[in-house]
Amino acid sequence: RNFINVFAQLRFSIIKKLEIQAGINYNKTSFELKNTFPQEVISNEDYSYDGIWSPQVSLLYKPTTLQTLYVSASRGFSLPAIEETLNPEGTINPDIKPENGYNFEVGGKFYFLNKKLFTEFAVYNMQVNDLLVAQRVGEDQYVGVNAGETLHQGIEIGANYYWEVSRKCNLQPYFAASIGNYEFKEFNDNGNDYSGNELTGVPKNKINAGLRAEMDFGLYFTADYYYIDGMPLNDANSLYSASYNLLNLKAGYQFTILKGLTSNIAFGVNNVTDTHYASMVLVNATGFNGTSPRYYYPALPLNYYGNLSLNYIF
């Protein structure tokens, strides 16, 4: 696969506190496929996509040096993987096209309390066209097809704070959340119309929060919490995974042995509440030889670990 990628970016101030950023990207991708085995199917194929233009423009307002509000509009693309460009016979599929989409976003980044508190937010609306999906054409045989359009809408927020409790101790809490609506705007697959259904394999809501405590003599402690919402496991939305909560804890000690030589000893507990959840899901799974489809790959139950590391700087 060969490609040419050319881009340019422009950034300047319109007036004080108001700035514009604009960019343009051009991509041209081509393929050359050589079949050398077996002898009866030796062939040489060439194929290229049309050139793709991807513009972007943003308007930034900075009321102070520690605060920024922005509005952004952009177009992007995603090239098919090598496997998606091929038919089951191993030849190039000339009907497949890259995914492309438009994204509109409003957001802001802010520092407060002498830069100890950092917060940010983003509200976005993205439409993806020529959605790439794997279409089953035979027993364990799939081909990539452009099946329709998806809509991604959501809000992302985040904050972290540095709190100096004393000269010897500090706390660093953080929080991040994503609340979204993801759906097939237009999706037809093998004669089935899934338009309006929730996007397969994507949780609507996610939360990540935690705390890190540090002492000046090297002792530290971390706690991480995760919440993952349930998600549809097939395009028909007839099967969903369950939502789950996850808590991980870790404590450690960092110290200097000699000049330039440091060590870190740590002990941790993952999945403190022994939650049963899937570490990975396989969407639109199919069973073989009469067996049920396997949608879930179970994660580890309550588990412990420890480590010792040495670091030497020359």
Side-chain angles (χ1 to χ4, degrees):
R1 180 163 65 176
N2 302 300
F3 70 90
I4 297 173
N5 205 64
V6 183
F7 65 92
Q9 187 170 3
L10 177 67
R11 177 177 179 177
F12 64 93
S13 295
I14 303 175
I15 57 175
K16 188 178 181 180
K17 299 184 180 181
L18 189 62
E19 181 180 291
I20 189 170
Q21 295 181 7
I24 188 74
N25 185 88
Y26 175 78
N27 179 277
K28 179 69 174 178
T29 300
S30 61
F31 296 86
E32 181 181 0
L33 176 65
K34 293 182 179 181
N35 281 319
T36 59
F37 183 84
Q39 288 288 328
E40 58 269 19
V41 295
I42 290 178
S43 63
N44 191 357
E45 296 180 86
D46 294 290
Y47 181 70
S48 65
Y49 297 127
D50 294 334
I52 303 173
W53 291 95
S54 301
Q56 179 268 337
V57 62
S58 299
L59 192 64
L60 293 86
Y61 174 63
K62 300 181 178 180
T64 71
T65 56
L66 301 178
Q67 299 175 345
T68 301
L69 291 168
Y70 67 88
V71 178
S72 176
S74 59
R75 180 178 188 260
F77 66 93
S78 177
L79 295 172
I82 296 296
E83 296 78 7
E84 292 175 313
T85 64
L86 303 178
N87 288 311
E89 298 79 18
T91 58
I92 287 180
N93 178 6
D95 298 322
I96 199 169
K97 297 181 292 184
E99 292 179 336
N100 66 90
Y102 296 88
N103 183 59
F104 302 93
E105 186 172 321
V106 177
K109 299 181 180 182
F110 312 92
Y111 282 99
F112 300 101
L113 305 176
N114 296 323
K115 294 187 178 181
K116 292 182 178 181
L117 174 63
F118 173 74
T119 63
E120 61 182 333
F121 78 94
V123 181
Y124 60 90
N125 185 303
M126 180 173 66
Q127 179 175 313
V128 178
N129 306 312
D130 295 321
L131 175 70
L132 281 168
V133 299
Q135 187 177 82
R136 188 176 184 181
V137 294
E139 183 68 25
D140 204 23
Q141 286 187 327
Y142 297 84
V143 61
V145 295
N146 296 105
E149 303 175 1
T150 58
L151 183 64
H152 307 247
Q153 299 172 316
I155 300 173
E156 295 179 347
I157 57 175
N160 59 71
Y161 180 62
Y162 181 86
W163 179 23
E164 191 172 0
V165 181
S166 69
R167 296 173 60 183
K168 295 185 177 182
C169 175
N170 68 77
L171 297 177
Q172 302 168 42
Y174 67 90
F175 173 83
S178 173
I179 303 171
N181 174 48
Y182 314 107
E183 64 181 41
F184 294 112
K185 187 175 180 180
E186 180 183 329
F187 182 27
N188 290 277
D189 184 23
N190 273 336
N192 298 309
D193 187 3
Y194 299 124
S195 302
N197 285 7
E198 294 180 29
L199 191 59
T200 316
V202 180
K204 280 189 172 184
N205 306 305
K206 294 187 292 184
I207 296 175
N208 176 210
L211 174 70
R212 181 180 176 90
E214 295 180 343
M215 305 295 291
D216 66 342
F217 56 86
L219 186 66
Y220 65 90
F221 170 81
T222 63
D224 300 296
Y225 166 77
Y226 301 89
Y227 169 77
I228 306 297
D229 205 355
M231 68 188 87
L233 297 177
N234 55 28
D235 297 335
N237 290 179
S238 60
L239 182 64
Y240 280 73
S241 68
S243 62
Y244 64 88
N245 299 273
L246 193 63
L247 178 64
N248 300 324
L249 302 176
K250 180 181 178 181
Y253 179 53
Q254 303 177 91
F255 59 95
T256 300
I257 301 175
L258 299 170
K259 184 178 180 179
L261 179 62
T262 59
S263 180
N264 181 22
I265 301 174
F267 174 78
V269 183
N270 287 332
N271 194 1
V272 175
T273 56
D274 199 23
T275 299
H276 291 210
Y277 72 101
S279 60
M280 186 175 71
V281 297
L282 182 63
V283 300
N284 296 317
T286 55
F288 299 99
N289 299 321
T291 60
S292 299
R294 179 175 180 174
Y295 289 94
Y296 303 95
Y297 288 82
L300 290 174
L302 172 69
N303 61 95
Y304 310 87
Y305 68 92
N307 62 60
L308 168 64
S309 64
L310 295 173
N311 183 36
Y312 182 68
I313 302 177
F314 294 90

